[in-house]
Amino acid sequence: MKASLESGLITIKGGRPLRGEVIAQGSKNATLPIMAASLLLYNGKISLRNVPKLLDVHTMSELLISLGAKVDRDDHTMTIEIQDELAWEMPPSLVRKMRASSLVLGPLLARCGKVILPLPGGCAIGSRPMDLHFKGLSKMGAQITLDKGAVIAKANKLVGTRIYLDFPSVGATENLLMAAALADGETLIENAAREPEIDNLVRALRKMGAVIEGEGTGILRIKGKKELNPASITIIPDRIEAATYLLAGVITHGDVAIRGVIPEHLNALLAKLDEAGIEVINNGNVLRVLNPGRPNGITLKTMPYPGFSTDLQPQMMALLSLADGTSIIHETIFEARFLHASELQKMGAQIELQGNTAIVHGQENLIGAEVYATDLRGGAALVLAGLAAEGETTIYNVEHLKRGYENMVEKLTLIGAQIDERAAEVTKEDI
Ligand code: EPU
């Protein structure tokens, strides 16, 4: 297969140090659940600030509209208006565009008492089951059945209870939090995810009148309310986007500052860069790298927050393929998040895969090649490799990047990258 018909491509002439400042966008993974939380309203609006312009945000808007919401966007602000009537069934084609569609399950069930959610299915990075979402909602009194590729969830009323998550799943924590906000009585979520995006959702729900304690501690206590109120909510900066541009500065030995970031959200990355001998200057809300040299080889393990984020593992693999020494990367969150490795190999990276472990033998150079983005963060890793590589790199299937990076080509151009984007000129025979 060459590339999908609708896909675009990016070409990069690599080997130029990037120099300049990048302003972090609003967080994709905070925006999506907060948009879904609007469904908890019976009547009223939520207003969002710092909303990134991304394909996934657009897909979530379409999903909310299909359920009866009115969504208005103006640059980086958005209002979502909910009126009395909401549908509880949605088009499978829309749900299958994005795993995060599953985030409507909890709020819609709490609000309407019934949901038919076509199963979002697997994706390139693994099968991504929803058992923890279902287990938690069932414990709150929902009846959940699977029928012909759809989840049917029903609950006359959801009742507060004690839920222990076998794994601190981000999506399950978000769905259960939202459902608990309208449940009868108190819900305790133990071993809850502690990602900053969860804190943003908790703060949003609190602004809507929910009573929640414990964000960031792994134990969330939610006192259900009969109704929530309209609110105005600010989305936090996108730590993964910010880190990707910081790594672009590192991999090109440039001078890149990222503004508007919350540095403590990136503590694990900063610790690992420090271990690799890369200095990052931290001025409160600006992170800067200044002509860094080659990193040393390190060992890295992806973990739930505050551990090292799986969403930065591909980008770190690109960097470490240019390290002085060998690195070991253990991916513990997703079962198949090494698809970018074979693409990096086409550029000269020396990577051995052993199950969920990658052994990366650092090389002095990467060489431009034709490569394929297989998923969002894997695509970002290829962009980083292309920026550092000698010669020209062509990356196909760059639609994946639009799911999570706003104006990536423009942002990189502004700091000196030679990067262009165009529609892929492929015929059916190429596919
Ligand atoms: N899992 C289960 N059962 C469940 C839920 C999850 O086995 O019921 C497993 C998943 O299969 C996966 C692991 O637990 O292996 C982690 O899944 P989690 O639920 O924590 O992730 P998610 O909510 O599906 C969010 C982000 C991902 C990010 C992960 C981990 C959003 C919209 N997505 O996904 O972001 O990688 O948390 O931090 O918030 C990305 O931005 O590129 C991205 C994939």
Side-chain angles (χ1 to χ4, degrees):
M1 186 179 82
K2 225 178 170 200
S4 69
L5 265 182
E6 70 276 13
S7 74
L9 60 84
I10 282 178
T11 51
I12 304 173
K13 290 200 179 80
R16 298 161 64 92
L18 301 184
R19 300 196 185 285
E21 189 173 280
V22 177
I23 298 175
Q25 71 184 29
S27 161
K28 164 177 87 77
N29 291 346
T31 303
L32 297 171
I34 292 175
M35 287 175 73
S38 66
L39 297 169
L40 292 165
L41 289 175
Y42 282 91
N43 209 325
K45 277 185 195 171
I46 67 164
S47 314
L48 306 180
R49 279 188 299 268
N50 201 27
V51 177
K53 292 182 195 165
L54 301 170
L55 208 53
D56 278 6
V57 170
H58 179 71
T59 304
M60 184 57 93
S61 300
E62 287 190 315
L63 193 60
L64 296 180
I65 291 167
S66 79
L67 292 168
K70 188 165 173 284
V71 181
D72 277 318
R73 254 214 97 137
D74 182 18
D75 201 30
H76 290 106
T77 61
M78 176 183 277
T79 54
I80 305 172
E81 185 173 354
I82 305 290
Q83 289 177 346
D84 294 342
E85 285 289 301
L86 275 183
W88 35 262
E89 202 169 356
M90 55 219 103
S93 55
L94 213 45
V95 172
R96 295 206 175 104
K97 277 189 186 174
M98 176 180 76
R99 285 283 310 170
S101 305
S102 58
L103 292 172
V104 301
L105 177 63
L108 207 52
L109 181 63
R111 164 68 162 71
C112 300
K114 180 168 183 185
V115 181
I116 299 184
L117 175 78
L119 270 177
C123 69
I125 59 177
S127 63
R128 299 177 83 175
M130 288 185 66
D131 54 312
L132 301 172
H133 305 232
F134 303 153
K135 213 166 134 187
L137 291 171
S138 302
K139 192 120 195 268
M140 295 173 82
Q143 293 98 50
I144 306 223
T145 48
L146 296 178
D147 185 37
K148 299 189 197 92
V151 185
I152 302 171
K154 290 183 192 160
N156 287 337
K157 83 174 171 184
L158 290 171
V159 182
T161 182
R162 187 170 181 165
I163 299 167
Y164 170 77
L165 293 178
D166 292 321
F167 177 83
S169 152
V170 172
T173 303
E174 291 167 343
N175 251 329
L176 296 171
L177 247 176
M178 292 188 274
L182 282 186
D184 202 359
E186 185 173 289
T187 302
L188 199 64
I189 309 176
E190 292 173 325
N191 201 26
R194 292 185 283 161
E195 271 68 3
E197 294 76 20
I198 304 274
D199 298 1
N200 204 174
L201 175 63
V202 168
R203 285 196 301 275
L205 290 170
R206 230 182 243 141
K207 278 199 137 185
M208 293 167 75
V211 180
I212 306 175
E213 287 168 18
E215 68 271 33
T217 67
I219 299 180
L220 292 166
R221 189 181 292 274
I222 308 110
K223 291 201 179 82
K225 298 273 276 209
K226 287 215 162 16
E227 226 173 278
L228 297 181
N229 48 257
S232 175
I233 295 147
T234 302
I235 304 295
I236 56 171
D238 195 312
R239 62 195 166 105
I240 307 300
E241 190 227 20
T244 302
Y245 292 119
L246 190 72
L247 292 174
V250 177
I251 205 168
T252 63
H253 312 298
D255 173 1
V256 173
I258 316 295
R259 186 171 290 278
V261 63
I262 301 175
E264 71 189 59
H265 291 171
L266 289 169
N267 277 348
L269 172 73
L270 298 180
K272 283 292 156 185
L273 287 177
D274 184 53
E275 224 174 287
I278 303 294
E279 193 195 347
V280 179
I281 305 157
N282 179 347
N283 287 341
N285 77 343
V286 179
L287 289 177
R288 180 177 178 192
V289 285
L290 190 53
N291 308 325
R294 257 178 106 184
N296 306 316
I298 54 167
T299 295
L300 186 76
K301 187 174 180 178
T302 63
M303 306 268 283
Y305 190 86
F308 191 93
S309 171
T310 174
D311 294 340
L312 286 173
Q313 175 265 108
Q315 300 90 317
M316 275 303 266
M317 187 184 283
L319 176 67
L320 294 173
S321 37
L322 286 164
D324 185 4
T326 295
S327 301
I328 313 281
I329 301 178
H330 300 288
E331 172 57 58
T332 76
I333 305 296
F334 287 109
E335 61 181 18
R337 209 173 198 179
F338 280 153
L339 296 175
H340 45 281
S342 56
E343 301 305 301
L344 291 171
Q345 280 165 345
K346 293 180 188 165
M347 303 176 72
Q350 296 290 316
I351 302 166
E352 289 171 54
L353 296 184
Q354 293 176 4
N356 277 342
T357 298
I359 302 158
V360 185
H361 303 285
Q363 303 296 299
E364 286 202 9
N365 304 305
L366 292 177
I367 313 288
E370 284 202 351
V371 288
Y372 296 85
T374 49
D375 61 275
L376 167 57
R377 309 302 173 186
L382 299 179
V383 171
L384 294 185
L387 290 168
E390 286 174 10
E392 187 168 290
T393 296
T394 303
I395 307 173
Y396 291 95
N397 291 346
V398 294
E399 266 55 31
H400 288 295
L401 290 167
K402 298 201 184 338
R403 297 186 48 202
Y405 293 91
E406 175 177 332
N407 294 337
M408 186 183 225
V409 169
E410 291 78 357
K411 279 183 153 176
L412 285 171
T413 303
L414 277 175
I415 55 172
Q418 282 202 310
I419 180 167
D420 282 306
E421 183 181 0
R422 60 188 152 91
E425 290 153 17
V426 289
T427 62
K428 262 207 159 105
E429 291 72 59
D430 289 325
I431 302 220

